[in-house]
Amino acid sequence: MYPEIKPVPIWQCKNSYAGATRSNAVIERTFIIFPGIGSRKERNLWSKGILDWDDLSAVSRYCRLLPFIEEAKRRLSSSDASYFSSLLRNAERWRLLEDFMDLAAFIDIEVENDGNRLKPVVAGILRNRLFTQLYGENLSRREMRRAIDGAAMIVTFNGSAHDLRIIRDMLGNDIPPSVDLRAIAMKLGVREGLKQIEYQRGIKRKWDVVLSAMGHTSHLWHLYRKGNRRALDLLLEYNREDTINMYPLAVQLNEEMKRRYAVE
């Protein structure tokens, strides 16, 4: 018997970008989405005081870009993260965080090794400050679709390794665009794992849970299937922290990228 799915409010997720001043929005300072502008030219424009789309549209030599700038404004006003994601490489999608983070679904999936494939056993979803966990019979196509339906984007840590593949196996390719925090960390030169990155940035978690569960998800799930409820509780707590800690980590990585690129 699996419990009814009831999202739980998560008040620990601080540093929201909701209501942030538009003058500092990174996406509106992004020029590499326009034809003929690469990273070097973008930074050169910033250095000349051309800092956002309005500034760019006022430069006569870039008047040819006016239709693209107007389209970008229209897409941003309708919260169309897919449009911008399609124009940005994976490592540049950090630029979406400030505008779309509070519209995103943060997802972490725990798996067990089922022979020659990885089988999902627990999925944690943080969305709109509400945390939901799916496992057992509740980890279904219908419930996963309900959990992410309407989200502007999906945020993972190293989701390219298995989370996104599992979600696509369940739902097909009709899913929101994704931002991988691992790719952003790598762009910053940070190559440690999630727990070390959290520790370096003062993001707290229960280390007794980490030591007991990390690398043992298959074993814990197997114990639960044999009737050990404590094993499930441990696995769920481990997944919960993996999921909700991505929000403050995303905030911090975004701020580090802004400092790196002098986008303030």
Side-chain angles (χ1 to χ4, degrees):
M1 177 68 68
Y2 297 100
E4 180 184 355
I5 301 169
K6 293 182 178 180
V8 178
I10 301 295
W11 305 112
Q12 299 95 318
C13 299
K14 299 178 182 179
N15 303 318
S16 168
Y17 282 118
T21 57
R22 301 299 308 154
S23 60
N24 288 328
V26 177
I27 194 63
E28 290 179 284
R29 297 181 173 217
T30 295
F31 302 148
I32 58 173
I33 60 174
F34 302 130
I37 299 182
S39 297
R40 182 177 298 179
K41 184 174 289 187
E42 177 184 64
R43 297 197 70 173
N44 182 256
L45 289 166
W46 291 341
S47 71
K48 293 178 178 179
I50 302 169
L51 300 177
D52 59 25
W53 296 340
D54 288 336
D55 290 343
L56 187 65
S57 64
V59 179
S60 59
R61 67 178 295 190
Y62 292 109
C63 62
R64 61 183 174 82
L65 296 179
L66 284 175
F68 298 98
I69 294 171
E70 291 305 313
E71 179 66 8
K73 289 180 177 180
R74 187 179 70 82
R75 298 282 189 154
L76 181 58
S77 68
S78 61
S79 300
D80 188 354
S82 295
Y83 173 77
F84 297 104
S85 177
S86 69
L87 299 172
L88 293 167
R89 292 181 292 109
N90 195 31
E92 295 292 347
R93 291 181 185 171
W94 66 274
R95 300 166 184 250
L96 301 177
L97 289 175
E98 214 158 274
D99 276 283
F100 298 104
M101 186 184 300
D102 289 314
L103 303 173
F106 291 75
I107 300 178
D108 182 73
I109 299 176
E110 311 300 338
V111 299
E112 69 169 339
N113 195 333
D114 185 19
N116 294 323
R117 69 188 185 95
L118 296 177
K119 178 182 177 183
V121 294
V122 177
I125 302 102
L126 176 66
R127 186 177 172 200
N128 298 326
R129 301 296 183 92
L130 296 175
F131 177 66
T132 303
Q133 276 181 315
L134 307 176
Y135 62 94
E137 293 176 359
N138 288 334
L139 184 47
S140 64
R141 181 183 186 279
R142 182 174 70 92
E143 294 300 340
M144 181 62 79
R145 174 61 70 188
R146 284 178 58 187
I148 69 170
D149 193 38
M153 64 184 185
I154 293 172
V155 179
T156 66
F157 187 90
N158 204 25
S160 303
H162 68 259
D163 302 87
L164 293 173
R165 178 182 57 78
I166 289 170
I167 294 170
R168 289 192 181 101
D169 285 347
M170 296 177 73
L171 305 178
N173 291 321
D174 183 23
I175 61 174
S178 63
V179 173
D180 191 336
L181 299 182
R182 174 71 168 170
I184 299 172
M186 293 287 283
K187 193 172 179 68
L188 287 164
V190 179
R191 287 172 169 75
E192 290 86 358
L194 175 61
K195 282 70 177 176
Q196 290 172 289
I197 294 173
E198 290 174 353
Y199 178 75
Q200 292 166 358
R201 285 155 181 78
I203 299 172
K204 297 180 180 179
R205 66 160 62 226
K206 298 175 183 175
W207 285 100
D208 59 327
V209 174
V210 173
L211 294 172
S212 300
M214 190 166 127
H216 302 295
T217 54
S218 290
H219 181 59
L220 290 171
W221 184 251
H222 180 69
L223 290 176
Y224 164 64
R225 295 296 296 272
K226 286 192 168 185
N228 188 330
R229 176 70 201 197
R230 169 58 185 156
L232 176 64
D233 291 342
L234 187 61
L235 182 56
L236 294 179
E237 182 63 19
Y238 180 72
N239 170 258
R240 176 184 180 276
E241 293 195 338
D242 272 0
T243 306
I244 67 172
N245 280 3
M246 278 193 283
Y247 189 101
L249 179 59
V251 172
Q252 291 200 34
L253 290 177
N254 182 68
E255 293 302 318
E256 290 175 41
M257 288 297 292
K258 287 172 65 178
R259 289 193 293 272
R260 170 74 63 88
Y261 285 86
V263 185
E264 299 289 351

